[in-house]
Amino acid sequence: MSALYVHVPFCHHICSYCDFCKVFYQEDWVERYLDALAFEIKDKKITGDYQTIYIGGGTPSSLSLRQLKKLLDLLQPFSQHSLEYSIEVNPESMNEEKLDLLKEYQVNRLSIGVQTFHNKLLKEIGRHHTSKEAIHFIELAQSMGFDDMNVDLIYGLPQQTLEDVYEDIEIINQLGIGHISIYSLILEDYTILKHHGYIPLNDEEDAYWYEHIHSYLKEKGFIHYEVSNYYKKKPSLHNLVYWHYQDYQGIGLSAHSLIHHHRLENTRNLTKYLNHCYLDNDYHLELNDEIFEKIMMGLRLREGLDIDEINDLYHIDLLEKYKDVINKYVQLHMLEIKDRYLRVTFKGMNYLNTILVDFLD
C-alpha cells in the first residue's frame, strides 16, 4: 500500500490540550506554505499514484476555499487512483462549498475533530463549534455523499463523566458514523490545560474508563482493531500503513517519511520550511531499530504481529530472540500467541508502553 501524508499546520484557534505542530492562520503564510509544499514535491521528485492520501494538521479546513483548491491541485497528480483520500476537518471551518470542492477532487474520507458533543466540555477545552454545529455538518456531508467518516473523541477531559462519553458514542452511532478514534487526554508540556494545572486520569482511572468505553463501543457494534480505533464499515487504510510498518512519504512542516530503511524528519520551524529548508534529519535505521519499530507498531493492532512475516523480513526467530519478554507477559496474560500471531490481550492494552520498554531493552 503506497501512502502519502500531507501536513497543514494552520489553525484559527489553539485548543487547550493540543501539542501538535501548528501555527495561527495568516493568509500570507498559507500562500508561502503552499509554494513551499510545491517546492518539496518537486525537490523530492515525487511522482505516481498513491493508494492512500491523508491531509492532516493543524486544521486543513482552516484554509480558504481558494487555498484549499490550490492544495488539492498540487496533490491531484498523486490521487488519480487513490482508494482512500482523507482530510482532517473541524465543523466550524467547513461549509457546503468546501465539501463540493472535496468531492470534485475525489476526497472520499473525512476525519472530523469533534472531541465531545457536550457544549460545556467543548468550551472548557477551547473548541469553537457547538454540538449542534457538529451534528449539522455531519448530516450535511452525509447528504452530499460522504459515507466514509471518522469522528475523533477524547476522554478524561475536565469535568467529563463516563456517562458523557457514552452519550457521545450514542450520538455517533445514531448518526451512522462508521469509524471512531477515541483517545485518553494526555497533556504535554506547553499545552494550556497543563499550564492551568489540570491533572488527567491516572493509570488506574484510565484503565477503568478504557475498559468501560471499549465495552460500550462493542455493545454498539464497533470492531476494535487498534488501541484507540474502532470501525463498523472499514478501518483506516492509511493508518494501517503506519501500523503495518510499511514505507510512506510525508510532506510539509514536521512531516515524517519512512523510505528504504530511512526515517526522514522534516523541520518544525516554519521559517526554515518557507525558505525551502524542509529536511531536518535523515536517520538510517539499523536492523534492531526496524525490528523494534515493527513490534511497536504491530502490537498496537488487535490482530498483532504476524510471526512468520517478521521472521522472513528480518531473518530472525522472533519467539526465540524475545523469549524472556514474551514468556513474562504471556504468564501475566498481557500477551498471547494465536494462529502464528503475537498480540496484546485486552488487559495488556493498558500496559502496552511498559511491554514495549521491555522489548526495547
Side-chain angles (χ1 to χ4, degrees):
M1 186 77 70
S2 55
L4 174 67
Y5 174 78
V6 185
H7 192 73
V8 177
F10 301 100
C11 295
H12 287 301
H13 316 281
I14 304 301
C15 299
S16 61
Y17 55 86
C18 183
D19 75 323
F20 292 148
C21 185
K22 74 281 182 186
V23 291
F24 278 113
Y25 175 95
Q26 289 193 30
E27 186 175 1
D28 59 329
W29 284 1
V30 176
E31 297 300 331
R32 291 180 61 195
Y33 186 80
L34 294 174
D35 291 340
L37 265 181
F39 174 85
E40 183 180 357
I41 289 168
K42 184 176 180 181
D43 195 57
K44 284 184 169 179
K45 300 180 175 62
I46 296 175
T47 58
D49 280 349
Y50 286 88
Q51 292 167 296
T52 76
I53 298 177
Y54 192 103
I55 305 172
T59 311
S61 58
S62 66
L63 272 57
S64 69
L65 186 69
R66 181 185 58 77
Q67 291 166 340
L68 190 57
K69 183 179 188 306
K70 185 174 178 179
L71 173 63
L72 295 172
D73 278 333
L74 273 178
L75 302 178
Q76 192 171 32
F78 318 120
S79 64
Q80 298 306 299
H81 300 97
S82 293
L83 302 174
E84 183 182 272
Y85 192 172
S86 306
I87 185 169
E88 292 180 355
V89 300
N90 281 352
E92 76 275 9
S93 56
M94 284 299 290
N95 55 40
E96 191 169 345
E97 283 183 307
K98 289 183 180 179
L99 284 170
D100 270 331
L101 184 68
L102 296 179
K103 291 291 287 186
E104 180 185 338
Y105 283 84
Q106 286 80 52
V107 176
N108 58 15
R109 185 175 188 270
L110 304 178
S111 186
I112 307 164
V114 175
Q115 317 314 346
T116 176
F117 288 94
H118 289 78
N119 289 330
K120 63 181 175 67
L121 297 176
L122 288 167
K123 187 174 181 180
E124 186 75 25
I125 60 175
R127 301 293 287 180
H128 284 258
H129 67 267
T130 64
S131 174
K132 185 177 179 180
E133 287 168 342
I135 292 169
H136 173 74
F137 168 69
I138 289 168
E139 291 176 336
L140 173 64
Q142 288 172 329
S143 73
M144 296 175 66
F146 288 95
D147 60 0
D148 189 358
M149 291 193 213
N150 169 67
V151 167
D152 282 343
L153 294 179
I154 299 178
Y155 69 89
L157 297 172
Q159 303 177 44
Q160 188 182 38
T161 66
L162 198 50
E163 191 61 39
D164 290 334
V165 183
Y166 293 161
E167 290 171 5
D168 288 340
I169 293 168
E170 182 56 34
I171 290 170
I172 290 171
N173 193 49
Q174 289 178 1
L175 287 167
I177 300 294
H179 193 285
I180 294 177
S181 298
I182 183 160
Y183 303 99
S184 172
L185 178 66
I186 297 173
L187 293 181
E188 303 292 348
D189 292 338
Y190 311 115
T191 56
I192 296 169
L193 277 180
K194 185 159 187 177
H195 178 70
H196 289 168
Y198 177 67
I199 300 174
L201 302 174
N202 62 38
D203 290 347
E204 187 176 328
E205 291 168 333
D206 195 300
Y208 178 85
W209 281 58
Y210 184 77
E211 180 180 350
H212 283 75
I213 290 167
H214 171 79
S215 296
Y216 195 78
L217 283 162
K218 187 177 178 181
E219 180 185 313
K220 296 298 176 182
F222 283 91
I223 298 166
H224 187 205
Y225 76 104
E226 190 269 347
V227 174
S228 303
N229 286 272
Y230 297 77
Y231 74 92
K232 277 191 177 181
K233 298 179 181 178
K234 62 180 275 293
S236 164
L237 300 181
H238 184 85
N239 286 335
L240 282 172
V241 171
Y242 303 148
W243 296 323
H244 285 144
Y245 199 57
Q246 297 168 345
D247 280 7
Y248 63 91
Q249 178 70 256
I251 59 173
L253 194 70
S254 80
H256 288 198
S257 305
L258 183 65
I259 301 172
H260 303 313
H261 314 291
H262 284 258
R263 180 170 301 286
L264 307 169
E265 295 180 355
N266 277 7
T267 180
R268 294 176 64 93
N269 184 307
L270 181 62
T271 301
K272 282 186 177 181
Y273 190 81
L274 296 182
N275 288 322
H276 300 164
C277 299
Y278 59 84
L279 186 62
D280 215 12
N281 291 299
D282 178 354
Y283 298 106
H284 179 262
L285 297 169
E286 302 295 335
L287 179 62
N288 280 336
D289 296 328
E290 293 194 326
I291 294 171
F292 174 72
E293 291 187 4
K294 175 77 171 174
I295 292 169
M296 178 177 68
M297 300 308 287
L299 288 183
R300 294 187 63 86
L301 290 166
R302 290 296 290 130
E303 71 182 38
L305 282 165
D306 183 329
I307 294 169
D308 295 325
E309 179 199 30
I310 200 168
N311 287 349
D312 290 344
L313 273 174
Y314 302 113
H315 308 293
I316 62 170
D317 182 335
L318 179 74
L319 300 184
E320 178 61 29
K321 182 176 175 68
Y322 295 102
K323 65 180 179 182
D324 291 341
V325 180
I326 292 170
N327 288 340
K328 172 184 174 180
Y329 287 106
V330 167
Q331 290 172 16
L332 291 170
H333 306 291
M334 294 182 189
L335 286 177
E336 63 183 6
I337 299 169
K338 190 173 182 180
D339 301 326
R340 297 292 293 169
Y341 275 79
L342 174 68
R343 64 189 186 197
V344 177
T345 64
F346 184 74
K347 177 185 176 182
M349 284 283 177
N350 290 310
Y351 301 93
L352 182 56
N353 287 341
T354 302
I355 294 169
L356 290 173
V357 167
D358 278 5
F359 273 102
L360 183 60
D361 290 342

